[in-house]
PDB file of all heavy atoms in Angstrom:
ATOM      1  N   THR P   1     -22.228  23.836 -15.833  1.00 98.00           N
ATOM      2  CA  THR P   1     -21.132  23.426 -14.963  1.00 98.00           C
ATOM      3  C   THR P   1     -20.290  24.632 -14.560  1.00 98.00           C
ATOM      4  O   THR P   1     -19.908  25.446 -15.406  1.00 98.00           O
ATOM      5  CB  THR P   1     -20.234  22.390 -15.670  1.00 98.00           C
ATOM      6  OG1 THR P   1     -21.024  21.250 -16.013  1.00 98.00           O
ATOM      7  CG2 THR P   1     -19.085  21.967 -14.767  1.00 98.00           C
ATOM      8  N   ILE P   2     -20.027  24.720 -13.273  1.00 98.00           N
ATOM      9  CA  ILE P   2     -19.065  25.680 -12.733  1.00 98.00           C
ATOM     10  C   ILE P   2     -18.113  24.899 -11.832  1.00 98.00           C
ATOM     11  O   ILE P   2     -18.564  24.243 -10.884  1.00 98.00           O
ATOM     12  CB  ILE P   2     -19.742  26.803 -11.928  1.00 98.00           C
ATOM     13  CG1 ILE P   2     -20.697  27.609 -12.817  1.00 98.00           C
ATOM     14  CG2 ILE P   2     -18.703  27.717 -11.306  1.00 98.00           C
ATOM     15  CD1 ILE P   2     -21.416  28.720 -12.072  1.00 98.00           C
ATOM     16  N   ALA P   3     -16.814  24.977 -12.128  1.00 98.00           N
ATOM     17  CA  ALA P   3     -15.850  24.209 -11.337  1.00 98.00           C
ATOM     18  C   ALA P   3     -14.456  24.759 -11.569  1.00 98.00           C
ATOM     19  O   ALA P   3     -14.172  25.342 -12.626  1.00 98.00           O
ATOM     20  CB  ALA P   3     -15.896  22.730 -11.717  1.00 98.00           C
ATOM     21  N   PRO P   4     -13.553  24.574 -10.612  1.00 98.00           N
ATOM     22  CA  PRO P   4     -12.149  24.924 -10.852  1.00 98.00           C
ATOM     23  C   PRO P   4     -11.558  24.032 -11.936  1.00 98.00           C
ATOM     24  O   PRO P   4     -11.938  22.859 -12.078  1.00 98.00           O
ATOM     25  CB  PRO P   4     -11.474  24.662  -9.500  1.00 98.00           C
ATOM     26  CG  PRO P   4     -12.574  24.526  -8.507  1.00 98.00           C
ATOM     27  CD  PRO P   4     -13.766  24.042  -9.256  1.00 98.00           C
ATOM     28  N   GLU P   5     -10.590  24.582 -12.686  1.00 95.00           N
ATOM     29  CA  GLU P   5      -9.946  23.779 -13.716  1.00 95.00           C
ATOM     30  C   GLU P   5      -8.933  22.803 -13.123  1.00 95.00           C
ATOM     31  O   GLU P   5      -8.594  21.809 -13.754  1.00 95.00           O
ATOM     32  CB  GLU P   5      -9.277  24.691 -14.744  1.00 95.00           C
ATOM     33  CG  GLU P   5     -10.289  25.458 -15.594  1.00 95.00           C
ATOM     34  CD  GLU P   5      -9.642  26.178 -16.762  1.00 95.00           C
ATOM     35  OE1 GLU P   5      -8.394  26.131 -16.872  1.00 95.00           O
ATOM     36  OE2 GLU P   5     -10.390  26.787 -17.558  1.00 95.00           O
ATOM     37  N   ASP P   6      -8.454  23.076 -11.923  1.00 90.00           N
ATOM     38  CA  ASP P   6      -7.523  22.171 -11.245  1.00 90.00           C
ATOM     39  C   ASP P   6      -8.258  20.882 -10.875  1.00 90.00           C
ATOM     40  O   ASP P   6      -9.186  20.889 -10.060  1.00 90.00           O
ATOM     41  CB  ASP P   6      -6.965  22.848  -9.989  1.00 90.00           C
ATOM     42  CG  ASP P   6      -5.962  21.979  -9.237  1.00 90.00           C
ATOM     43  OD1 ASP P   6      -5.702  20.843  -9.678  1.00 90.00           O
ATOM     44  OD2 ASP P   6      -5.427  22.440  -8.212  1.00 90.00           O
ATOM     45  N   GLY P   7      -7.858  19.769 -11.459  1.00 83.00           N
ATOM     46  CA  GLY P   7      -8.546  18.516 -11.204  1.00 83.00           C
ATOM     47  C   GLY P   7      -8.076  17.789  -9.964  1.00 83.00           C
ATOM     48  O   GLY P   7      -8.681  16.789  -9.562  1.00 83.00           O
ATOM     49  N   ASP P   8      -7.008  18.269  -9.343  1.00 91.00           N
ATOM     50  CA  ASP P   8      -6.435  17.574  -8.185  1.00 91.00           C
ATOM     51  C   ASP P   8      -6.913  18.232  -6.893  1.00 91.00           C
ATOM     52  O   ASP P   8      -6.128  18.765  -6.110  1.00 91.00           O
ATOM     53  CB  ASP P   8      -4.908  17.602  -8.271  1.00 91.00           C
ATOM     54  CG  ASP P   8      -4.267  16.749  -7.183  1.00 91.00           C
ATOM     55  OD1 ASP P   8      -4.948  15.816  -6.702  1.00 91.00           O
ATOM     56  OD2 ASP P   8      -3.110  17.031  -6.826  1.00 91.00           O
ATOM     57  N   MET P   9      -8.232  18.188  -6.667  1.00 96.00           N
ATOM     58  CA  MET P   9      -8.816  18.808  -5.484  1.00 96.00           C
ATOM     59  C   MET P   9      -9.857  17.864  -4.900  1.00 96.00           C
ATOM     60  O   MET P   9     -10.536  17.119  -5.626  1.00 96.00           O
ATOM     61  CB  MET P   9      -9.480  20.146  -5.832  1.00 96.00           C
ATOM     62  CG  MET P   9      -8.538  21.158  -6.479  1.00 96.00           C
ATOM     63  SD  MET P   9      -9.335  22.725  -6.913  1.00 96.00           S
ATOM     64  CE  MET P   9      -9.264  23.581  -5.344  1.00 96.00           C
ATOM     65  N   ARG P  10      -9.965  17.877  -3.607  1.00 97.00           N
ATOM     66  CA  ARG P  10     -11.015  17.107  -2.941  1.00 97.00           C
ATOM     67  C   ARG P  10     -12.325  17.890  -3.013  1.00 97.00           C
ATOM     68  O   ARG P  10     -12.334  19.114  -2.833  1.00 97.00           O
ATOM     69  CB  ARG P  10     -10.660  16.846  -1.483  1.00 97.00           C
ATOM     70  CG  ARG P  10     -11.702  16.001  -0.771  1.00 97.00           C
ATOM     71  CD  ARG P  10     -11.454  15.886   0.715  1.00 97.00           C
ATOM     72  NE  ARG P  10     -12.514  15.103   1.340  1.00 97.00           N
ATOM     73  CZ  ARG P  10     -12.791  15.119   2.632  1.00 97.00           C
ATOM     74  NH1 ARG P  10     -12.073  15.879   3.451  1.00 97.00           N
ATOM     75  NH2 ARG P  10     -13.764  14.377   3.121  1.00 97.00           N
ATOM     76  N   VAL P  11     -13.427  17.175  -3.268  1.00 98.00           N
ATOM     77  CA  VAL P  11     -14.739  17.817  -3.374  1.00 98.00           C
ATOM     78  C   VAL P  11     -15.613  17.364  -2.213  1.00 98.00           C
ATOM     79  O   VAL P  11     -15.734  16.162  -1.941  1.00 98.00           O
ATOM     80  CB  VAL P  11     -15.436  17.478  -4.711  1.00 98.00           C
ATOM     81  CG1 VAL P  11     -16.767  18.215  -4.805  1.00 98.00           C
ATOM     82  CG2 VAL P  11     -14.545  17.852  -5.882  1.00 98.00           C
ATOM     83  N   VAL P  12     -16.191  18.314  -1.515  1.00 98.00           N
ATOM     84  CA  VAL P  12     -17.106  18.050  -0.406  1.00 98.00           C
ATOM     85  C   VAL P  12     -18.385  18.837  -0.662  1.00 98.00           C
ATOM     86  O   VAL P  12     -18.329  20.035  -0.966  1.00 98.00           O
ATOM     87  CB  VAL P  12     -16.499  18.462   0.952  1.00 98.00           C
ATOM     88  CG1 VAL P  12     -17.489  18.216   2.083  1.00 98.00           C
ATOM     89  CG2 VAL P  12     -15.192  17.713   1.200  1.00 98.00           C
ATOM     90  N   GLN P  13     -19.512  18.186  -0.535  1.00 98.00           N
ATOM     91  CA  GLN P  13     -20.798  18.853  -0.770  1.00 98.00           C
ATOM     92  C   GLN P  13     -21.694  18.686   0.450  1.00 98.00           C
ATOM     93  O   GLN P  13     -21.817  17.579   0.995  1.00 98.00           O
ATOM     94  CB  GLN P  13     -21.485  18.273  -2.009  1.00 98.00           C
ATOM     95  CG  GLN P  13     -22.689  19.066  -2.498  1.00 98.00           C
ATOM     96  CD  GLN P  13     -23.273  18.476  -3.780  1.00 98.00           C
ATOM     97  OE1 GLN P  13     -23.849  17.397  -3.771  1.00 98.00           O
ATOM     98  NE2 GLN P  13     -23.104  19.191  -4.886  1.00 98.00           N
ATOM     99  N   THR P  14     -22.298  19.770   0.878  1.00 98.00           N
ATOM    100  CA  THR P  14     -23.193  19.749   2.028  1.00 98.00           C
ATOM    101  C   THR P  14     -24.201  20.879   1.877  1.00 98.00           C
ATOM    102  O   THR P  14     -24.077  21.727   0.989  1.00 98.00           O
ATOM    103  CB  THR P  14     -22.398  19.907   3.341  1.00 98.00           C
ATOM    104  OG1 THR P  14     -23.269  19.740   4.452  1.00 98.00           O
ATOM    105  CG2 THR P  14     -21.757  21.282   3.431  1.00 98.00           C
ATOM    106  N   TYR P  15     -25.212  20.872   2.727  1.00 98.00           N
ATOM    107  CA  TYR P  15     -26.166  21.981   2.775  1.00 98.00           C
ATOM    108  C   TYR P  15     -25.772  22.951   3.872  1.00 98.00           C
ATOM    109  O   TYR P  15     -25.228  22.542   4.914  1.00 98.00           O
ATOM    110  CB  TYR P  15     -27.580  21.472   3.056  1.00 98.00           C
ATOM    111  CG  TYR P  15     -28.262  20.841   1.865  1.00 98.00           C
ATOM    112  CD1 TYR P  15     -28.297  19.458   1.706  1.00 98.00           C
ATOM    113  CD2 TYR P  15     -28.890  21.629   0.902  1.00 98.00           C
ATOM    114  CE1 TYR P  15     -28.928  18.874   0.624  1.00 98.00           C
ATOM    115  CE2 TYR P  15     -29.526  21.048  -0.188  1.00 98.00           C
ATOM    116  CZ  TYR P  15     -29.542  19.684  -0.328  1.00 98.00           C
ATOM    117  OH  TYR P  15     -30.164  19.110  -1.402  1.00 98.00           O
ATOM    118  N   LEU P  16     -26.030  24.238   3.662  1.00 98.00           N
ATOM    119  CA  LEU P  16     -25.969  25.146   4.785  1.00 98.00           C
ATOM    120  C   LEU P  16     -26.977  24.675   5.815  1.00 98.00           C
ATOM    121  O   LEU P  16     -28.062  24.200   5.465  1.00 98.00           O
ATOM    122  CB  LEU P  16     -26.269  26.578   4.342  1.00 98.00           C
ATOM    123  CG  LEU P  16     -25.325  27.198   3.300  1.00 98.00           C
ATOM    124  CD1 LEU P  16     -25.625  28.692   3.144  1.00 98.00           C
ATOM    125  CD2 LEU P  16     -23.868  26.982   3.650  1.00 98.00           C
ATOM    126  N   PRO P  17     -26.666  24.755   7.110  1.00 98.00           N
ATOM    127  CA  PRO P  17     -27.510  24.116   8.134  1.00 98.00           C
ATOM    128  C   PRO P  17     -28.983  24.477   8.014  1.00 98.00           C
ATOM    129  O   PRO P  17     -29.357  25.654   7.902  1.00 98.00           O
ATOM    130  CB  PRO P  17     -26.914  24.649   9.439  1.00 98.00           C
ATOM    131  CG  PRO P  17     -25.486  24.926   9.115  1.00 98.00           C
ATOM    132  CD  PRO P  17     -25.486  25.418   7.704  1.00 98.00           C
ATOM    133  N   ALA P  18     -29.814  23.422   8.009  1.00 98.00           N
ATOM    134  CA  ALA P  18     -31.278  23.555   8.039  1.00 98.00           C
ATOM    135  C   ALA P  18     -31.813  24.379   6.879  1.00 98.00           C
ATOM    136  O   ALA P  18     -32.791  25.119   7.023  1.00 98.00           O
ATOM    137  CB  ALA P  18     -31.734  24.154   9.364  1.00 98.00           C
ATOM    138  N   THR P  19     -31.204  24.238   5.687  1.00 98.00           N
ATOM    139  CA  THR P  19     -31.663  24.961   4.504  1.00 98.00           C
ATOM    140  C   THR P  19     -31.650  24.037   3.293  1.00 98.00           C
ATOM    141  O   THR P  19     -31.136  22.918   3.337  1.00 98.00           O
ATOM    142  CB  THR P  19     -30.762  26.171   4.180  1.00 98.00           C
ATOM    143  OG1 THR P  19     -29.539  25.704   3.593  1.00 98.00           O
ATOM    144  CG2 THR P  19     -30.460  27.012   5.407  1.00 98.00           C
ATOM    145  N   ASN P  20     -32.165  24.563   2.192  1.00 98.00           N
ATOM    146  CA  ASN P  20     -32.013  23.935   0.885  1.00 98.00           C
ATOM    147  C   ASN P  20     -31.013  24.712   0.033  1.00 98.00           C
ATOM    148  O   ASN P  20     -31.119  24.763  -1.195  1.00 98.00           O
ATOM    149  CB  ASN P  20     -33.367  23.841   0.182  1.00 98.00           C
ATOM    150  CG  ASN P  20     -34.189  22.675   0.702  1.00 98.00           C
ATOM    151  OD1 ASN P  20     -33.697  21.547   0.804  1.00 98.00           O
ATOM    152  ND2 ASN P  20     -35.447  22.927   1.037  1.00 98.00           N
ATOM    153  N   VAL P  21     -30.053  25.316   0.689  1.00 98.00           N
ATOM    154  CA  VAL P  21     -28.951  26.010   0.024  1.00 98.00           C
ATOM    155  C   VAL P  21     -27.747  25.077   0.041  1.00 98.00           C
ATOM    156  O   VAL P  21     -27.288  24.657   1.109  1.00 98.00           O
ATOM    157  CB  VAL P  21     -28.628  27.348   0.726  1.00 98.00           C
ATOM    158  CG1 VAL P  21     -27.436  28.023   0.056  1.00 98.00           C
ATOM    159  CG2 VAL P  21     -29.852  28.265   0.704  1.00 98.00           C
ATOM    160  N   LEU P  22     -27.223  24.752  -1.137  1.00 98.00           N
ATOM    161  CA  LEU P  22     -26.218  23.701  -1.285  1.00 98.00           C
ATOM    162  C   LEU P  22     -24.830  24.318  -1.445  1.00 98.00           C
ATOM    163  O   LEU P  22     -24.639  25.235  -2.243  1.00 98.00           O
ATOM    164  CB  LEU P  22     -26.556  22.838  -2.500  1.00 98.00           C
ATOM    165  CG  LEU P  22     -25.770  21.546  -2.691  1.00 98.00           C
ATOM    166  CD1 LEU P  22     -26.109  20.540  -1.586  1.00 98.00           C
ATOM    167  CD2 LEU P  22     -26.078  20.942  -4.059  1.00 98.00           C
ATOM    168  N   LEU P  23     -23.867  23.795  -0.713  1.00 98.00           N
ATOM    169  CA  LEU P  23     -22.486  24.267  -0.767  1.00 98.00           C
ATOM    170  C   LEU P  23     -21.593  23.140  -1.276  1.00 98.00           C
ATOM    171  O   LEU P  23     -21.535  22.068  -0.687  1.00 98.00           O
ATOM    172  CB  LEU P  23     -22.021  24.712   0.624  1.00 98.00           C
ATOM    173  CG  LEU P  23     -20.551  25.126   0.751  1.00 98.00           C
ATOM    174  CD1 LEU P  23     -20.253  26.359  -0.074  1.00 98.00           C
ATOM    175  CD2 LEU P  23     -20.193  25.355   2.221  1.00 98.00           C
ATOM    176  N   THR P  24     -20.898  23.401  -2.396  1.00 98.00           N
ATOM    177  CA  THR P  24     -19.917  22.461  -2.925  1.00 98.00           C
ATOM    178  C   THR P  24     -18.536  23.097  -2.777  1.00 98.00           C
ATOM    179  O   THR P  24     -18.322  24.225  -3.223  1.00 98.00           O
ATOM    180  CB  THR P  24     -20.194  22.137  -4.401  1.00 98.00           C
ATOM    181  OG1 THR P  24     -21.564  21.720  -4.553  1.00 98.00           O
ATOM    182  CG2 THR P  24     -19.284  21.025  -4.886  1.00 98.00           C
ATOM    183  N   GLN P  25     -17.616  22.370  -2.147  1.00 98.00           N
ATOM    184  CA  GLN P  25     -16.287  22.901  -1.847  1.00 98.00           C
ATOM    185  C   GLN P  25     -15.227  22.084  -2.578  1.00 98.00           C
ATOM    186  O   GLN P  25     -15.247  20.851  -2.534  1.00 98.00           O
ATOM    187  CB  GLN P  25     -16.006  22.829  -0.346  1.00 98.00           C
ATOM    188  CG  GLN P  25     -17.032  23.543   0.523  1.00 98.00           C
ATOM    189  CD  GLN P  25     -16.824  23.206   1.991  1.00 98.00           C
ATOM    190  OE1 GLN P  25     -15.907  23.722   2.629  1.00 98.00           O
ATOM    191  NE2 GLN P  25     -17.666  22.327   2.524  1.00 98.00           N
ATOM    192  N   TRP P  26     -14.315  22.789  -3.244  1.00 98.00           N
ATOM    193  CA  TRP P  26     -13.130  22.173  -3.830  1.00 98.00           C
ATOM    194  C   TRP P  26     -11.945  22.575  -2.964  1.00 98.00           C
ATOM    195  O   TRP P  26     -11.646  23.775  -2.798  1.00 98.00           O
ATOM    196  CB  TRP P  26     -12.923  22.660  -5.262  1.00 98.00           C
ATOM    197  CG  TRP P  26     -13.846  22.041  -6.262  1.00 98.00           C
ATOM    198  CD1 TRP P  26     -13.584  20.973  -7.070  1.00 98.00           C
ATOM    199  CD2 TRP P  26     -15.175  22.463  -6.596  1.00 98.00           C
ATOM    200  NE1 TRP P  26     -14.661  20.699  -7.871  1.00 98.00           N
ATOM    201  CE2 TRP P  26     -15.658  21.595  -7.604  1.00 98.00           C
ATOM    202  CE3 TRP P  26     -16.012  23.478  -6.139  1.00 98.00           C
ATOM    203  CZ2 TRP P  26     -16.919  21.731  -8.158  1.00 98.00           C
ATOM    204  CZ3 TRP P  26     -17.279  23.617  -6.683  1.00 98.00           C
ATOM    205  CH2 TRP P  26     -17.718  22.747  -7.679  1.00 98.00           C
ATOM    206  N   LEU P  27     -11.251  21.600  -2.406  1.00 98.00           N
ATOM    207  CA  LEU P  27     -10.174  21.849  -1.457  1.00 98.00           C
ATOM    208  C   LEU P  27      -8.865  21.325  -2.041  1.00 98.00           C
ATOM    209  O   LEU P  27      -8.714  20.120  -2.286  1.00 98.00           O
ATOM    210  CB  LEU P  27     -10.472  21.150  -0.123  1.00 98.00           C
ATOM    211  CG  LEU P  27     -11.854  21.455   0.488  1.00 98.00           C
ATOM    212  CD1 LEU P  27     -12.095  20.600   1.715  1.00 98.00           C
ATOM    213  CD2 LEU P  27     -11.965  22.942   0.828  1.00 98.00           C
ATOM    214  N   GLY P  28      -7.925  22.238  -2.290  1.00 97.00           N
ATOM    215  CA  GLY P  28      -6.643  21.861  -2.859  1.00 97.00           C
ATOM    216  C   GLY P  28      -5.488  22.268  -1.969  1.00 97.00           C
ATOM    217  O   GLY P  28      -5.654  22.946  -0.949  1.00 97.00           O
ATOM    218  N   GLU P  29      -4.294  21.881  -2.357  1.00 95.00           N
ATOM    219  CA  GLU P  29      -3.106  22.228  -1.579  1.00 95.00           C
ATOM    220  C   GLU P  29      -2.820  23.731  -1.630  1.00 95.00           C
ATOM    221  O   GLU P  29      -2.360  24.320  -0.650  1.00 95.00           O
ATOM    222  CB  GLU P  29      -1.892  21.456  -2.111  1.00 95.00           C
ATOM    223  CG  GLU P  29      -1.971  19.945  -1.938  1.00 95.00           C
ATOM    224  CD  GLU P  29      -1.883  19.518  -0.480  1.00 95.00           C
ATOM    225  OE1 GLU P  29      -1.447  20.348   0.351  1.00 95.00           O
ATOM    226  OE2 GLU P  29      -2.230  18.365  -0.183  1.00 95.00           O
ATOM    227  N   GLU P  30      -3.129  24.352  -2.759  1.00 94.00           N
ATOM    228  CA  GLU P  30      -2.788  25.763  -2.942  1.00 94.00           C
ATOM    229  C   GLU P  30      -3.998  26.681  -2.941  1.00 94.00           C
ATOM    230  O   GLU P  30      -3.840  27.903  -2.832  1.00 94.00           O
ATOM    231  CB  GLU P  30      -2.020  25.936  -4.268  1.00 94.00           C
ATOM    232  CG  GLU P  30      -0.779  25.080  -4.394  1.00 94.00           C
ATOM    233  CD  GLU P  30       0.280  25.451  -3.368  1.00 94.00           C
ATOM    234  OE1 GLU P  30       0.305  26.631  -2.935  1.00 94.00           O
ATOM    235  OE2 GLU P  30       1.071  24.570  -2.984  1.00 94.00           O
ATOM    236  N   SER P  31      -5.173  26.154  -3.092  1.00 97.00           N
ATOM    237  CA  SER P  31      -6.361  27.013  -3.182  1.00 97.00           C
ATOM    238  C   SER P  31      -7.602  26.230  -2.781  1.00 97.00           C
ATOM    239  O   SER P  31      -7.597  24.995  -2.728  1.00 97.00           O
ATOM    240  CB  SER P  31      -6.533  27.552  -4.601  1.00 97.00           C
ATOM    241  OG  SER P  31      -6.752  26.489  -5.517  1.00 97.00           O
ATOM    242  N   SER P  32      -8.663  26.970  -2.502  1.00 98.00           N
ATOM    243  CA  SER P  32      -9.969  26.350  -2.220  1.00 98.00           C
ATOM    244  C   SER P  32     -11.061  27.236  -2.799  1.00 98.00           C
ATOM    245  O   SER P  32     -10.953  28.468  -2.802  1.00 98.00           O
ATOM    246  CB  SER P  32     -10.174  26.145  -0.717  1.00 98.00           C
ATOM    247  OG  SER P  32     -10.119  27.377  -0.022  1.00 98.00           O
ATOM    248  N   VAL P  33     -12.098  26.575  -3.289  1.00 98.00           N
ATOM    249  CA  VAL P  33     -13.195  27.258  -3.976  1.00 98.00           C
ATOM    250  C   VAL P  33     -14.510  26.743  -3.429  1.00 98.00           C
ATOM    251  O   VAL P  33     -14.690  25.526  -3.256  1.00 98.00           O
ATOM    252  CB  VAL P  33     -13.130  27.010  -5.504  1.00 98.00           C
ATOM    253  CG1 VAL P  33     -14.302  27.695  -6.205  1.00 98.00           C
ATOM    254  CG2 VAL P  33     -11.805  27.481  -6.074  1.00 98.00           C
ATOM    255  N   HIS P  34     -15.435  27.665  -3.145  1.00 98.00           N
ATOM    256  CA  HIS P  34     -16.784  27.310  -2.729  1.00 98.00           C
ATOM    257  C   HIS P  34     -17.772  27.751  -3.808  1.00 98.00           C
ATOM    258  O   HIS P  34     -17.695  28.885  -4.304  1.00 98.00           O
ATOM    259  CB  HIS P  34     -17.165  28.013  -1.420  1.00 98.00           C
ATOM    260  CG  HIS P  34     -16.411  27.531  -0.230  1.00 98.00           C
ATOM    261  ND1 HIS P  34     -16.680  27.957   1.058  1.00 98.00           N
ATOM    262  CD2 HIS P  34     -15.398  26.639  -0.105  1.00 98.00           C
ATOM    263  CE1 HIS P  34     -15.865  27.357   1.904  1.00 98.00           C
ATOM    264  NE2 HIS P  34     -15.076  26.552   1.220  1.00 98.00           N
ATOM    265  N   VAL P  35     -18.712  26.871  -4.155  1.00 98.00           N
ATOM    266  CA  VAL P  35     -19.847  27.255  -4.999  1.00 98.00           C
ATOM    267  C   VAL P  35     -21.117  27.027  -4.193  1.00 98.00           C
ATOM    268  O   VAL P  35     -21.378  25.903  -3.739  1.00 98.00           O
ATOM    269  CB  VAL P  35     -19.890  26.452  -6.316  1.00 98.00           C
ATOM    270  CG1 VAL P  35     -21.164  26.781  -7.092  1.00 98.00           C
ATOM    271  CG2 VAL P  35     -18.661  26.761  -7.168  1.00 98.00           C
ATOM    272  N   THR P  36     -21.886  28.089  -4.007  1.00 98.00           N
ATOM    273  CA  THR P  36     -23.135  28.032  -3.248  1.00 98.00           C
ATOM    274  C   THR P  36     -24.289  28.115  -4.228  1.00 98.00           C
ATOM    275  O   THR P  36     -24.407  29.089  -4.980  1.00 98.00           O
ATOM    276  CB  THR P  36     -23.212  29.188  -2.237  1.00 98.00           C
ATOM    277  OG1 THR P  36     -22.071  29.143  -1.381  1.00 98.00           O
ATOM    278  CG2 THR P  36     -24.478  29.092  -1.403  1.00 98.00           C
ATOM    279  N   ASP P  37     -25.126  27.059  -4.244  1.00 98.00           N
ATOM    280  CA  ASP P  37     -26.245  26.965  -5.196  1.00 98.00           C
ATOM    281  C   ASP P  37     -27.569  27.067  -4.471  1.00 98.00           C
ATOM    282  O   ASP P  37     -27.788  26.390  -3.449  1.00 98.00           O
ATOM    283  CB  ASP P  37     -26.186  25.630  -5.943  1.00 98.00           C
ATOM    284  CG  ASP P  37     -25.045  25.568  -6.939  1.00 98.00           C
ATOM    285  OD1 ASP P  37     -25.000  26.432  -7.829  1.00 98.00           O
ATOM    286  OD2 ASP P  37     -24.203  24.655  -6.823  1.00 98.00           O
ATOM    287  N   TYR P  38     -28.469  27.872  -5.021  1.00 98.00           N
ATOM    288  CA  TYR P  38     -29.813  27.965  -4.454  1.00 98.00           C
ATOM    289  C   TYR P  38     -30.750  28.544  -5.490  1.00 98.00           C
ATOM    290  O   TYR P  38     -30.321  29.059  -6.542  1.00 98.00           O
ATOM    291  CB  TYR P  38     -29.824  28.810  -3.175  1.00 98.00           C
ATOM    292  CG  TYR P  38     -29.446  30.270  -3.342  1.00 98.00           C
ATOM    293  CD1 TYR P  38     -30.420  31.272  -3.357  1.00 98.00           C
ATOM    294  CD2 TYR P  38     -28.113  30.656  -3.451  1.00 98.00           C
ATOM    295  CE1 TYR P  38     -30.066  32.601  -3.491  1.00 98.00           C
ATOM    296  CE2 TYR P  38     -27.756  31.981  -3.574  1.00 98.00           C
ATOM    297  CZ  TYR P  38     -28.736  32.958  -3.600  1.00 98.00           C
ATOM    298  OH  TYR P  38     -28.390  34.282  -3.732  1.00 98.00           O
ATOM    299  N   MET P  39     -32.038  28.449  -5.205  1.00 97.00           N
ATOM    300  CA  MET P  39     -33.058  29.022  -6.071  1.00 97.00           C
ATOM    301  C   MET P  39     -33.964  29.906  -5.231  1.00 97.00           C
ATOM    302  O   MET P  39     -34.133  29.694  -4.027  1.00 97.00           O
ATOM    303  CB  MET P  39     -33.874  27.935  -6.771  1.00 97.00           C
ATOM    304  CG  MET P  39     -33.049  27.062  -7.691  1.00 97.00           C
ATOM    305  SD  MET P  39     -34.026  25.816  -8.574  1.00 97.00           S
ATOM    306  CE  MET P  39     -34.841  26.861  -9.790  1.00 97.00           C
ATOM    307  N   ALA P  40     -34.549  30.896  -5.879  1.00 93.00           N
ATOM    308  CA  ALA P  40     -35.459  31.817  -5.195  1.00 93.00           C
ATOM    309  C   ALA P  40     -36.569  32.214  -6.157  1.00 93.00           C
ATOM    310  O   ALA P  40     -36.380  32.230  -7.370  1.00 93.00           O
ATOM    311  CB  ALA P  40     -34.712  33.066  -4.729  1.00 93.00           C
ATOM    312  N   SER P  41     -37.721  32.516  -5.611  1.00 88.00           N
ATOM    313  CA  SER P  41     -38.843  32.967  -6.440  1.00 88.00           C
ATOM    314  C   SER P  41     -39.849  33.690  -5.572  1.00 88.00           C
ATOM    315  O   SER P  41     -39.785  33.672  -4.338  1.00 88.00           O
ATOM    316  CB  SER P  41     -39.534  31.779  -7.127  1.00 88.00           C
ATOM    317  OG  SER P  41     -40.332  31.063  -6.208  1.00 88.00           O
TER     318      SER P  41
END
């Protein structure tokens, strides 16, 4: 698990367009955090 400790944030998850790269966004009043997840081999 990787996440902001601030629990009062809206979470939005989507893919980068036309990819299997996943973007999870935490949107708060004072800050915002993006986690981009993908695999490569």
Side-chain angles (χ1 to χ4, degrees):
T1 300
I2 299 179
E5 291 190 357
D6 181 359
D8 187 25
M9 302 179 83
R10 182 187 178 199
V11 183
V12 178
Q13 191 177 69
T14 186
Y15 283 99
L16 299 189
T19 75
N20 281 311
V21 177
L22 190 67
L23 175 64
T24 308
Q25 304 169 76
W26 284 263
L27 308 174
E29 295 291 343
E30 304 296 332
S31 63
S32 60
V33 178
H34 291 185
V35 174
T36 304
D37 289 302
Y38 64 102
M39 297 182 75
S41 75

